[in-house]
Amino acid sequence: MGYRENNLKNILHGFFLAVAMSIAEPSTILPLIVHHFSESVVLVGVFASLLRGGAILVQLFAAFYAQSYKKVMPYLKRVFLARFLSWFFIGIAILVLGDKNPKLTLFAIGIGLFIFSFSAGFGSIYFSEIIAKIFNKKERGKSMANRQFFAAIASIISGGIAGWVLSNFEPPKSYAYLFIVSAILMGIGLFAFSTIKEPIKENIRVKEESFFKFLKNAFKFLKEDKALQIQILTILFSYSFLFAFPFVILKANSTINLTGWLIGGFVTIQMVGALIGNLLWRRLAPKYKLIITLSFIVMILAFVIALFAKNALMYALIFFLIGFGMDGFKISGLNLLFEIAPEDKRPIYVALQNNLTSIGLFFAIPGGFILKWFGYKILFLFTIFMLLVGFLFALQIKEKNG
């Protein structure tokens, strides 16, 4: 297969996955779903982190086996099935249990989110391996920008759908319908990507005799590679926006009249930001260091505005800027890693980065405690400081030419 066909399948996967993920957007709809069943802001942070975080060690475990695989697509198909079923299960659980047993409903949602995110721990290793195989340096940046561009369009569409459903159906049935329909749509994208004809990888490593020895070797690579250390620290701090992002919508809810249409509108505006951002990132590829530094600047600006937000327009600008910056982090993070990762060690480098930076995916949990104890102002100031630290690390990245 050539670039055009693989690019199309990558786009379809991103498009339909975005439709589903926007239905439980961790910064808008998911906090409201959790808040419907519980008043705890800490629990909102836990669920937001659960959706993003997955399992930490599972990615290294996946890489332990993947380093010796000539093809990873058969294993990725199993991951796709687990993600589809778990997302569909959440919708059914909300529909069946609903308000009759709020605690049990939250538990079921948590189980579904855990399986969905846990399986992604395996999937991220297999997905990145396939992307690295089928695209060269410049094609990767373009295809991922295209993928994220159309994913933003999908999210805009689903934001409108979410607004309509939330306005016309009473919760929690409205939440259930969103999950069930989006699971079916997600399945289309999963099927499209699974039809990619994966090249056979000849330059592979012999799998160590034990997972413990693999871990020892993996962290030896990390200790010896200064570029990998800076890369991982930069990506870890790029997740700092998650300290505060899930709580922006709750601050908006206490500041302005937050209707169902306005919630869907914020999702749409966030995706418009991502869409416009990807037009820029596509033009800048393969200048991935520039992309990540610009993304930090945009994120910092968003939370400076959050300190003073008092109306719907200011909140819309916050969501726009964060959507703009988030996809810049996504494009640059993986592509910068591919530049420093030897081919035979690529699954290990990907796993190390994903594993160690996945701590950042749980930043909403301490963010919830900071909000509970100190309030929104301190939370936003802390987030800005952490993003500034990440920006300084990004400036130290040495990008390869060619």
Side-chain angles (χ1 to χ4, degrees), residues 67 201 203-205 341-348:
Q67 64 179 326
K201 179 181 177 182
N203 189 12
I204 60 174
R205 287 174 56 83
E343 184 184 12
D344 62 323
K345 299 175 184 175
R346 190 165 56 214
I348 302 172

Side-chain angles (χ1 to χ4, degrees), residues 168-212:
N168 288 276
F169 296 94
E170 290 294 319
K173 283 188 177 180
S174 56
Y175 303 140
Y177 296 152
L178 289 175
F179 272 98
I180 292 170
V181 173
S182 65
I184 296 169
L185 294 174
M186 183 202 303
I188 299 172
L190 300 180
F191 175 77
F193 195 87
S194 68
T195 62
I196 288 176
K197 294 179 181 177
E198 178 191 3
I200 294 175
K201 179 181 177 182
E202 299 297 341
N203 189 12
I204 60 174
R205 287 174 56 83
V206 176
K207 182 166 65 72
E208 291 88 345
E209 55 267 26
S210 71
F211 182 58
F212 178 77

Side-chain angles (χ1 to χ4, degrees), residues 359-375:
I359 297 169
L361 296 170
F362 295 92
F363 280 165
I365 297 176
F369 284 107
I370 293 172
L371 173 59
K372 183 179 179 180
W373 294 330
F374 302 106

